[in-house]
Amino acid sequence: MNFKVNSLTSDKTALPVEYYKLPFCQPPRIRSSAENLGEVLRGDRIFNSLYQMQTGLDENCKVVCRGAPLTKAQARMLKRFIDDEYRVNMILDNLPAAVRTERVDPETGESDALYERGFPVGFKDDGSPLAGSHSAVPGGAFGGALAAKAASWFGTGSASSGTSAKTRLDRGTFYVNNHLRFTVLLHRADAAAGTSRIVGFEVDPVSVRHDFNGAWNERDPKLSSCSSLNHPSVLFDTNEGSEGGSVKPRDPRTVPPQKVEEGASVVFTYDVAFRESPVAWASRWDVYLKMADGAGVHWFSVVNSCLVVLFLSAMVAMILVRALKRDISEYNALDAVEEAAEESGWKLVHGDVFRAPRAPRRLAILVGAGTQLLAVLVVVMVFAVLGFLSPANRGGLMTAALTLFALAGFLNGYASARMGALFGFASDEWQRNALAAALFAPGVAFSVFFALNLLAWEERSAGAAPFTTLLSICALWFLVNVPLVFLGARVARSREAPEHPVRTNKIPRRVPPQPWYLRGAFTALAGGVLPFAAVFIELFFILSSMWHHQVYYVFGILFIVTFIALVTCAETAVVLCYFQLCGEDYEWWWRACANSGSSALYVFLYSAWYFFANLEISRAVPSIMYFAYMALVSAGFAAVTGTVGFLACLAFCRAVYGSVKID
């Protein structure tokens, strides 16, 4: 059985790189594994390798190859990848290689195994503690992190040391992890038949400067550094003086590490050991899904947030229903003379409340795009909760989302056409409206993606989508999404146009001056707080999975949080719309979208805080890509929440004004 290699990844650069870009051992023929659309967009590039094993056969210090002497450029590139903390990703039986660490509970004393996917390309010895921790930067250091990142963007320093990249590569000694200890965990599926299945793939990287006697024999290499008495057992031992000036004696079983330097010929070796495991094959992914820290805080915070938001939403809805019920009862109890004298508040604008908004075509397109994204969000999460989108299927989530987005074009065309009919569009304008709806949201997303893809190409990253992938995306867009948008618009136009419950006056009435707390800017900023409060804790874990290459799989909690956030958007938008109408301001259409969609502003600001406080990205290009992608995600979130708020306000106005007697 052959091991497969995947792209090298780093949390410091967020730019995946193909494995064979580095001077590693290459097979005579490099074959690429079949990749779906999601894998390509994620930056997965899976190839075959020279690492092999026989099931059940332990092997010790098996030689992969002896590389050619490193050139100056290769040595410098390898140092740069080690300095950027790139990790090697390997695959065996569809399981990613992971470094096993033990976590001990300080209260109970029980140990628990955690997996960190991939292993470091190497390490650096500069006299300081090794970098690579993903712990959050303390809040007090936020300003320092901001200044350091800004300095690195303009080429004056780095986020960690304040020195240039060239100086960092010339400072300290770099070592490459050229010996890998593989531990393959087996579970006996049938003891009688003697069959076993792979349920774990652990790796322990070691740096070893291998020695061999005489000339190098490619067919039968003999390494003196791998004898039974001199087997590599520690990461490295530089035999330098310890504190006080004394010299540490070298353990005879240890060997010095392999330095990265010009002219060095690196020998790559590996061990394979098989161990039995009680973990069943169906549960082999569970250890990858464990959260490294904050698991208890994660669940407690999410549940607490859900309860608080549900309580506030219930209170607001109850107050609103009681107030409206009382107002409607009082208005319907008045006769015509009393009504003329007593009419005020929200009923006074009944002749203008359904007047067409400003820029109606843009609003119709926005509602259509939000409906399309909302449908994709709901369907994808339902499939994920039911277990159809397994983490074993790399790229399956993204592939499903893109496919469903193209198929949901029907809902986009239908919703935008119905809004156009509601706003009084001419019957011959539906085609132009459908074309704009089909090109708007996908066009914005594809334009941003294409621009960032050019940057990834310039950086020679594996995350750059090839030309064939761009053609596949365009095919989904123009051959699937666009025709379905026109079909949905056609179906919507074949139905009768929706009628308003009250007539609209020919002459619009003047909107009186509004108090500061009912103006658009304040209500929009205030309206987005509650929806953001429902999702911001879960947003931390989503960002961690996206930018720390972790597996996110708590879709049940995410589904509940998303549902609560959407309900909160609807109720908040309705409450603010009611207050606006009570102030005799009937221009509620765009305000309804902004009052709930403004939660996306807080999402983007939170992502900016997360970048400076929790990520080690220090280069300009990855930073641009981060903020561009998060702006795109925030725009999609704004479209969804804004559409939910708008539709809730539309249903609210139609229900309220249809329930009162208006002559």
Side-chain angles (χ1 to χ4, degrees):
M1 182 179 293
N2 292 339
F3 297 79
K4 296 181 180 179
V5 292
N6 202 345
S7 299
L8 309 176
T9 56
S10 169
D11 292 341
K12 293 182 67 175
T13 66
L15 292 172
V17 179
E18 291 185 6
Y19 178 84
Y20 291 117
K21 292 292 185 182
L22 268 65
F24 293 147
C25 299
Q26 298 186 11
R29 181 184 176 186
I30 300 177
R31 297 186 300 271
S32 175
S33 299
E35 297 170 328
N36 55 44
L37 183 59
E39 284 182 292
V40 176
L41 296 178
R42 277 165 34 97
D44 290 334
R45 301 294 185 268
I46 304 174
F47 303 102
N48 60 321
S49 73
L50 291 175
Y51 293 90
Q52 298 177 347
M53 73 166 193
Q54 295 182 16
T55 305
L57 177 62
D58 291 355
E59 297 180 278
N60 187 34
C61 207
K62 189 174 181 180
V63 177
V64 184
C65 76
R66 178 174 181 249
L70 295 176
T71 64
K72 183 178 181 180
Q74 289 177 330
R76 194 160 192 84
M77 178 176 62
L78 199 53
K79 289 181 179 180
R80 180 169 59 86
F81 274 73
I82 294 173
D83 186 68
D84 288 336
E85 300 177 13
Y86 269 89
R87 301 180 70 86
V88 180
N89 297 284
M90 304 184 73
I91 300 172
L92 177 65
D93 192 30
N94 207 31
L95 277 179
V99 177
R100 178 189 177 97
T101 57
E102 295 291 335
R103 180 181 61 179
V104 179
D105 192 335
E107 297 181 358
T108 62
E110 298 180 355
S111 62
D112 189 18
L114 291 176
Y115 278 6
E116 187 175 6
R117 299 179 67 175
F119 59 90
V121 174
F123 56 92
K124 179 182 178 181
D125 180 21
D126 57 358
S128 61
L130 294 177
S133 174
H134 299 313
S135 59
V137 176
F142 179 77
L146 175 60
K149 286 179 182 289
S152 65
W153 291 343
F154 292 101
T156 58
S158 69
S160 58
S161 62
T163 58
S164 65
K166 184 178 184 300
T167 304
R168 295 199 314 271
L169 297 184
D170 294 334
R171 179 183 299 173
T173 306
F174 292 83
Y175 304 93
V176 60
N177 289 323
N178 59 323
H179 181 82
L180 305 178
R181 298 168 176 169
F182 296 120
T183 302
V184 182
L185 305 180
L186 299 178
H187 178 76
R188 293 191 178 275
D190 189 348
T195 58
S196 302
R197 309 188 74 172
I198 298 176
V199 296
F201 181 29
E202 301 174 1
V203 60
D204 183 17
V206 181
S207 180
V208 180
R209 190 183 67 194
H210 285 296
D211 295 326
F212 53 90
N213 298 323
W216 174 259
N217 188 346
E218 189 71 31
R219 296 184 177 180
D220 187 20
K222 300 294 184 181
L223 300 178
S224 58
S225 54
C226 280
S227 64
S228 58
L229 296 179
N230 198 24
H231 188 271
S233 59
V234 295
L235 285 178
F236 65 96
D237 184 1
T238 58
N239 199 22
E240 295 176 350
S242 59
E243 295 182 1
S246 60
V247 178
K248 297 183 297 181
R250 184 184 299 277
D251 191 328
R253 296 174 300 171
T254 64
V255 292
Q258 177 61 59
K259 292 183 180 180
V260 178
E261 55 188 356
E262 183 181 359
S265 296
V266 182
V267 179
F268 292 89
T269 56
Y270 65 100
D271 302 334
V272 179
F274 291 88
R275 301 288 184 269
E276 290 191 8
S277 174
V279 178
W281 187 85
S283 305
R284 64 178 187 164
W285 273 90
D286 291 353
V287 68
Y288 293 94
L289 306 180
K290 289 183 180 179
M291 289 164 287
D293 41 42
V297 177
H298 171 86
W299 291 100
F300 176 78
S301 300
V302 169
V303 172
N304 181 69
S305 177
C306 293
L307 292 176
V308 171
V309 173
L310 280 175
F311 175 76
L312 292 176
S313 300
M315 291 295 295
V316 169
M318 183 173 61
I319 294 173
L320 186 60
V321 169
R322 290 186 59 184
L324 273 176
K325 186 176 180 180
R326 183 180 65 251
D327 288 349
I328 292 174
S329 299
E330 292 177 355
Y331 279 130
N332 288 338
L334 299 175
D335 55 29
V337 177
E338 293 175 336
E339 184 178 3
E342 298 291 338
E343 192 173 272
S344 62
W346 58 269
K347 191 183 178 186
L348 190 62
V349 297
H350 65 82
D352 299 275
V353 70
F354 292 106
R355 188 177 302 279
R358 301 173 182 176
R361 189 180 305 280
R362 296 178 183 177
L363 183 57
I365 294 173
L366 176 62
V367 172
T371 304
Q372 184 178 9
L373 291 173
L374 178 62
V376 173
L377 178 65
V378 172
V379 175
V380 166
M381 282 201 299
V382 168
F383 275 91
V385 170
L386 296 178
F388 291 105
L389 299 177
S390 169
N393 182 16
R394 290 179 302 274
L397 181 65
M398 187 173 296
T399 303
L402 290 175
T403 304
L404 288 173
F405 181 83
L407 296 177
F410 177 86
L411 298 178
N412 186 348
Y414 184 86
S416 60
R418 290 296 289 176
M419 289 299 104
L422 182 68
F423 298 152
F425 288 0
S427 58
D428 57 347
E429 292 185 3
W430 72 272
Q431 293 180 343
R432 185 170 59 177
N433 184 69
L435 180 61
L439 298 180
F440 173 67
V444 172
F446 185 80
S447 299
V448 173
F449 171 74
F450 184 77
L452 297 179
N453 200 59
L454 292 178
L455 294 178
W457 271 339
E458 178 66 23
E459 294 290 323
R460 299 181 180 180
S461 170
F467 183 71
T468 53
T469 302
L470 297 180
L471 290 180
S472 300
I473 296 176
C474 291
L476 271 177
W477 181 8
F478 291 104
L479 300 182
V480 179
N481 183 72
V482 172
L484 288 177
V485 170
F486 275 86
L487 178 61
R490 181 70 178 181
V491 172
R493 294 301 301 178
S494 64
R495 299 184 56 186
E496 295 183 1
E499 296 183 359
H500 299 306
V502 292
R503 291 176 297 179
T504 301
N505 297 332
K506 294 182 179 180
I507 301 176
R509 58 181 293 116
R510 186 181 67 88
V511 177
Q514 300 294 307
W516 63 270
Y517 54 84
L518 288 182
R519 294 176 183 174
F522 179 81
T523 58
L525 293 176
V529 173
L530 278 180
F532 173 73
V535 301
F536 86 96
I537 296 177
E538 198 65 25
L539 185 61
F540 175 86
F541 295 95
I542 294 176
L543 292 177
S544 298
S545 65
M546 290 175 58
W547 300 101
H548 283 308
H549 305 95
Q550 300 175 3
V551 179
Y552 183 87
Y553 208 61
V554 285
F555 290 105
I557 290 294
L558 181 61
F559 183 83
I560 296 174
V561 168
T562 304
F563 175 77
I564 293 176
L566 295 179
V567 171
T568 307
C569 284
E571 293 181 346
T572 303
V574 168
V575 169
L576 294 177
C577 180
Y578 172 71
F579 291 149
Q580 179 183 352
L581 295 176
C582 288
E584 300 179 11
D585 183 359
Y586 55 84
E587 296 177 348
W588 61 271
W589 305 90
W590 281 103
R591 292 271 295 274
C593 291
N595 290 340
S596 55
S598 61
S599 56
L601 174 62
Y602 297 101
V603 170
F604 182 76
L605 294 177
Y606 183 86
S607 66
W609 172 86
Y610 183 88
F611 175 84
F612 291 107
N614 295 85
L615 293 181
E616 300 178 15
I617 298 176
S618 58
R619 295 184 182 178
V621 171
S623 302
I624 293 172
M625 296 179 67
Y626 175 87
F627 283 102
Y629 278 127
M630 292 313 303
L632 193 61
V633 170
S634 301
F637 190 78
V640 171
T641 54
T643 298
V644 170
F646 172 82
L647 294 178
C649 290
L650 178 61
F652 166 77
C653 291
R654 293 180 65 87
V656 168
Y657 287 97
S659 61
V660 296
K661 297 185 298 182
I662 299 176
D663 296 333

